[in-house]
Amino acid sequence: MHIAWFEYFQFACLLTAIYCYRGLRACSLLAFIPLLVIVNITEFIGTNYRMMGWRFNYPVYNIYLLVSTPFYFYIAGKMLFLTGKETIVFYTVCVLCLILIGVNFSFIQGQAHFNTYSFVLIEILMIVFSCLSLVRLTLLDQKDLRFIKEPFFWINTVNLLFGLITLVVLGLQEYIVTNQIKIDNKTLYNAILPSVNAIVYAGYSYAFILCRMQKIR
């Protein structure tokens, strides 16, 4: 059994979310807890897939895209402060995206190959949602801009960072594997993504602590 170093950040993030349960509930972010459970299980299986006799771990991450994406979209919707027709448009886009992911998983790229089409689509939407959330946050808090103490700011910032970097690294996964692009004898994925994951889940943990510190949002 092997545990990658960045998985400790993910597990610590889950523990922090549980500890900050009341704060997450006050900020309408409780969906992070089941999401982080899914993340930890996926990464553990994805890291130890060879022990199970599998040649590739792509199916694990393809299923992860199917299961985790609704949680990400739900959380994004909460941070956008949607009203009226905005809610209808937002969730219509999300449902269409989920349908396309399911079609890609079942009929196009399938289970045996990493679903890059699905991943790119999801990350583009998450980048757009994060940008919109940051803009809306600025408009709502323009009288007192204290982003350092704003949980939504940190969550959307790390989501934006993750989306921009992984959109390149995982979106070009097949090209990178085919051309054997490496850094210090490591694949581009193994060289960059662990550090990005650590930053993202450290950012989430900080945001959860801020949620706990806020009695009233």
Side-chain angles (χ1 to χ4, degrees), residues 10-128:
Q10 296 171 335
F11 185 65
C13 186
L14 173 59
L15 294 180
T16 303
I18 295 172
Y19 174 70
C20 301
Y21 175 87
R22 292 183 179 179
L24 292 182
R25 182 174 59 184
C27 293
S28 301
L29 295 176
L30 275 180
F32 261 114
I33 293 179
L35 174 59
L36 289 168
V37 171
I38 295 170
V39 168
N40 278 271
I41 293 174
T42 301
E43 291 292 0
F44 180 79
I45 296 174
T47 302
N48 295 279
Y49 70 97
R50 293 187 185 278
M51 293 180 59
M52 303 177 187
W54 300 345
R55 293 183 58 192
F56 305 102
N57 58 4
Y58 295 146
V60 178
Y61 290 103
N62 290 336
I63 294 173
Y64 167 77
L65 292 178
L66 287 171
V67 177
S68 66
T69 300
F71 289 97
Y72 281 113
F73 285 169
Y74 176 79
I75 292 169
K78 290 296 182 180
M79 294 190 292
L80 279 169
F81 303 105
L82 299 169
T83 58
K85 293 182 179 180
E86 294 176 347
T87 304
I88 298 174
V89 173
F90 174 81
Y91 284 108
T92 299
V93 171
C94 292
V95 169
L96 289 175
C97 177
L98 293 174
I99 292 173
L100 291 174
I101 294 171
V103 170
N104 187 41
F105 178 80
S106 301
F107 305 109
I108 303 177
Q109 288 187 299
Q111 303 176 24
H113 300 279
F114 182 66
N115 292 173
T116 52
Y117 300 157
S118 299
F119 180 82
V120 169
L121 177 60
I122 293 167
E123 289 308 317
I124 288 175
L125 287 179
M126 289 302 296
I127 288 172
V128 172

Side-chain angles (χ1 to χ4, degrees), residues 119-153:
F119 180 82
V120 169
L121 177 60
I122 293 167
E123 289 308 317
I124 288 175
L125 287 179
M126 289 302 296
I127 288 172
V128 172
F129 295 157
S130 295
C131 290
L132 290 175
S133 184
L134 289 172
V135 170
R136 177 153 289 187
L137 189 62
T138 302
L139 295 175
L140 291 175
D141 292 344
Q142 57 185 340
K143 293 182 180 180
D144 186 17
L145 293 176
R146 302 182 66 184
F147 285 154
I148 300 299
K149 296 184 178 181
E150 175 52 59
F152 287 6
F153 168 77

Side-chain angles (χ1 to χ4, degrees), residues 143-194:
K143 293 182 180 180
D144 186 17
L145 293 176
R146 302 182 66 184
F147 285 154
I148 300 299
K149 296 184 178 181
E150 175 52 59
F152 287 6
F153 168 77
W154 287 101
I155 292 171
N156 284 288
T157 298
V158 295
N159 281 345
L160 183 59
L161 174 68
F162 180 83
L164 292 173
I165 294 176
T166 57
L167 191 59
V168 175
V169 176
L170 292 182
L172 298 175
Q173 176 72 5
E174 292 185 8
Y175 176 83
I176 292 170
V177 171
T178 302
N179 293 274
Q180 297 183 346
I181 300 175
K182 297 183 178 182
I183 298 177
D184 293 333
N185 294 321
K186 295 181 179 180
T187 62
L188 201 59
Y189 174 87
N190 290 326
I192 297 177
L193 267 296

